[in-house]
Amino acid sequence: MNTQVSITHRDYSLTGPESKRAVTTGLAAAEWYHTDVPRKVMKDLMKRRDGPPMRDTALWVALHILFAAGGIYFWGSWIAVPFWLAYGVLYGSACDSRWHECGHGTAFRTRWMNDVVYHIASFQVVRNPVNWRWSHVRHHTDTIIVGRDPEIAWMHPIKLGAKALAYVGILDVWGGVKTLIRNAAGQLSEDEKSYIPETAWPRAIFWARVHVAIYAATLLATLALLAGGAGWAAAIPFLLIGGPRIYGCWHMIMTGLLQHGGLAEDVLDHRLNSRTLYLNPISRWIYWNMNYHVEHHMFPMVPYYALPKLHETIKHDLPAPNTSIWDAYREMFAAVMRQRQEPGYALVKDLPPTAKPYQPHLHASVPERDA
Amino acid sequence: MPWIDACAADDIEEEDLIRWDHGGKTYVIVHGVDGNFYCTAGLCTHEEVHLEDGLVMDYEVECPKHNALFDYRTGVAKREPACVNLQTFEVKREAGRIQVMVP
């Protein structure tokens, strides 16, 4: 099934011609396909609890402390390295799923708990908490709709070098810090203004200033330690704050790129543009079950701890999940390589016989509407 | 404005809602945790997603698309992305029926 507009270079800005095209063709803020789930079942799935996220957050915090303490205690010895690597993943990768789930407000039943974890995780992942709350709202309204979705990871033509660099976070962090500094200086880009309401601009600037101030304090601490003759130990503040987003982000990138990679743009059925895969329990804990990504996009009100149950409820209507990270990468990489040669190509997975067919009429009638 | 018969009280479980359409408009009727019934506009003020699939929790209803929160008693928007309050309408329960005063 060819669901794509066959063009090589697409304009992913939110204020350009693709954005206007998405609006005029009815792809923006459209009706999406949903699997039928009885109301009683969905009510049960949507139910919020404080217990699971409190347990997971307490463990997350405790492991931060444990691994940081180990890294500092064994400083100067190779034994410190695995402690820092583990700390890096807890900080630089697990932050993304906490940012995401608490941004939706679905993790905790108690709202202030969502907000506290959201702000901590936003800082760790180097995202302005206001900007990204709104960008993610748009991502859910217009998932992988070109010109509308600010969170498209795979932009065509695909630059594989940049994707490989993402695993060490340098470009991403550089971009994030530049945005924070620009926001702290009171400036929002035209793209940001397109999805953040004006009433939220002052808050975006305030939180950017808070984040920049903490990074500045970290830098000062590093310089003070250097000046005090601490030598390599002067790196500890950086390894604790900010640095893990570079050396520990690999798990976030590894799982995040799978969410939509190799799949379709400009469709209105999450089964065509999102990927569900089975993961090992450790990765699922780090990722807060976001491997059930089709399920999450179809029903964003379902908290992460209910996603496995949601998956069991609707899997008859979804493509078979990838069986592992390796299996998903093999599939995605083949599709991405083909996309590089064949603009407009997107992987369309087979549906089980129990599923309702893909709904191409939702997006395939775009040329007629475009006329 | 007259009272309009909307549904049976038994049609809505406690801490749940149903969609109700009338006169070319769409609403939700909520059976609150206090046992009372409430009626608000049916579409979220953020992007006009219908609240019929939303979650009722305590005194709030949550939009199923972007998790905006509204106090269904007053219509007040309590969580972004909603910035505009929901319109609310008077409700009364009479002989096991829910009646709503809507234009």
Side-chain angles (χ1 to χ4, degrees):
Chain A
M1 186 194 311
N2 182 11
T3 58
Q4 294 294 290
V5 180
S6 186
I7 43 181
T8 310
H9 291 267
R10 304 205 67 181
D11 174 13
Y12 289 86
S13 74
L14 307 184
T15 52
E18 290 276 12
S19 180
K20 290 185 183 71
R21 190 187 69 86
V23 172
T24 55
T25 56
L27 284 170
E31 284 288 327
W32 287 70
Y33 174 75
H34 290 94
T35 302
D36 291 330
V37 179
R39 173 77 182 162
K40 264 185 184 301
V41 175
M42 186 47 66
K43 259 178 68 180
D44 185 50
L45 288 165
M46 290 191 295
K47 213 166 267 172
R48 306 289 153 72
R49 293 185 286 157
D50 281 334
M54 282 174 74
R55 175 202 63 206
D56 287 340
T57 304
L59 183 61
W60 184 52
V61 171
L63 290 175
H64 269 81
I65 294 167
L66 179 76
F67 289 128
I72 293 168
Y73 182 78
F74 292 111
W75 185 259
S77 151
W78 285 106
I79 301 171
V81 173
F83 282 96
W84 286 115
L85 291 178
Y87 178 81
V89 172
L90 285 170
Y91 181 123
S93 284
C95 60
D96 182 51
S97 52
R98 276 69 182 164
W99 162 82
H100 174 263
E101 190 75 9
C102 294
H104 276 285
T106 44
F108 296 88
R109 181 181 172 90
T110 306
R111 202 181 328 154
W112 68 262
M113 294 184 188
N114 276 316
D115 291 340
V116 167
V117 175
Y118 178 73
H119 274 284
I120 293 167
S122 294
F123 173 78
Q124 290 183 319
V125 76
V126 193
R127 290 175 188 156
N128 185 317
V130 176
N131 302 19
W132 279 79
R133 193 189 288 276
W134 285 95
S135 83
H136 200 65
V137 163
R138 179 70 74 81
H139 174 62
H140 272 270
T141 302
D142 298 322
T143 309
I144 321 297
I145 302 293
V146 178
R148 295 286 297 175
D149 184 350
E151 297 183 6
I152 296 179
W154 293 93
M155 296 184 182
H156 302 287
I158 290 164
K159 294 173 182 158
L160 288 179
K163 284 284 159 281
L165 273 177
Y167 285 83
V168 284
I170 294 171
L171 292 180
D172 203 20
V173 167
W174 176 240
V177 169
K178 273 201 307 188
T179 300
L180 285 172
I181 292 171
R182 178 170 48 74
N183 291 162
Q187 293 171 12
L188 276 79
S189 69
E190 289 307 311
D191 273 9
E192 288 164 344
K193 287 177 182 174
S194 79
Y195 59 79
I196 307 169
E198 199 166 347
T199 50
W201 295 357
R203 271 183 293 130
I205 292 165
F206 169 79
W207 282 109
R209 288 174 179 165
V210 171
H211 287 204
V212 169
I214 298 171
Y215 288 123
T218 307
L219 184 64
L220 281 176
T222 300
L223 293 174
L225 283 170
L226 263 181
W232 283 105
I236 288 176
F238 174 72
L239 288 172
L240 286 172
I241 298 170
R245 179 60 178 77
I246 294 172
Y247 70 81
C249 74
W250 62 269
H251 191 280
M252 166 176 76
I253 302 299
M254 177 183 72
T255 47
L257 287 178
L258 287 172
Q259 292 176 352
H260 307 286
L263 301 166
E265 294 177 331
D266 295 345
V267 293
L268 299 175
D269 187 333
H270 293 112
R271 300 175 299 176
L272 284 166
N273 70 9
S274 304
R275 174 180 283 104
T276 283
L277 69 146
Y278 293 138
L279 271 185
N280 67 77
I282 295 172
S283 286
R284 270 179 52 196
W285 183 82
I286 294 168
Y287 197 27
W288 266 10
N289 286 336
M290 216 31 64
N291 52 304
Y292 298 108
H293 213 63
V294 180
E295 292 85 342
H296 167 66
H297 268 281
M298 263 198 201
F299 301 104
M301 295 179 67
V302 174
Y304 73 95
Y305 37 85
L307 284 176
K309 197 171 168 190
L310 174 61
H311 170 68
E312 290 302 318
T313 306
I314 67 170
K315 68 179 181 186
H316 66 277
D317 200 35
L318 310 184
N322 292 104
T323 52
S324 65
I325 293 171
W326 170 249
D327 177 53
Y329 260 86
R330 202 172 44 184
E331 173 193 270
M332 179 180 75
F333 199 66
V336 163
M337 294 310 282
R338 188 166 163 189
Q339 284 175 328
R340 282 164 59 83
Q341 302 299 324
E342 195 180 321
Y345 169 76
L347 174 67
V348 178
K349 298 188 177 207
D350 291 336
L351 287 169
T354 48
K356 285 191 181 165
Y358 289 123
Q359 311 286 312
H361 67 277
L362 292 174
H363 49 266
S365 58
V366 166
E368 286 79 19
R369 280 182 273 149
D370 204 10
Chain B
M1 282 189 296
W3 288 99
I4 311 290
D5 184 69
C7 61
D10 293 345
D11 289 346
I12 320 172
E13 286 183 13
E14 194 167 296
E15 212 169 12
D16 200 6
L17 52 74
I18 61 165
R19 172 179 177 157
W20 177 60
D21 295 342
H22 174 76
K25 302 253 184 189
T26 190
Y27 308 87
V28 289
I29 300 175
V30 182
H31 188 172
V33 284
D34 56 2
N36 293 323
F37 290 81
Y38 300 88
C39 180
T40 74
L43 301 180
C44 177
T45 58
H46 168 231
E47 280 189 352
E48 299 194 332
V49 171
H50 210 292
L51 297 170
E52 64 180 319
D53 293 323
L55 175 67
V56 179
M57 198 167 59
D58 302 328
Y59 287 106
E60 294 165 343
V61 58
E62 186 175 305
C63 173
K65 185 76 175 176
H66 300 108
N67 313 84
L69 275 179
F70 300 92
D71 185 324
Y72 55 75
R73 298 169 299 179
T74 60
V76 170
K78 298 186 76 175
R79 185 176 186 276
E80 290 176 344
C83 302
V84 176
N85 297 343
L86 276 178
Q87 204 176 350
T88 56
F89 305 91
E90 277 188 73
V91 175
K92 70 173 181 180
R93 179 180 183 163
E94 208 166 86
R97 302 289 301 174
I98 301 303
Q99 299 184 340
V100 186
M101 192 176 282
V102 292

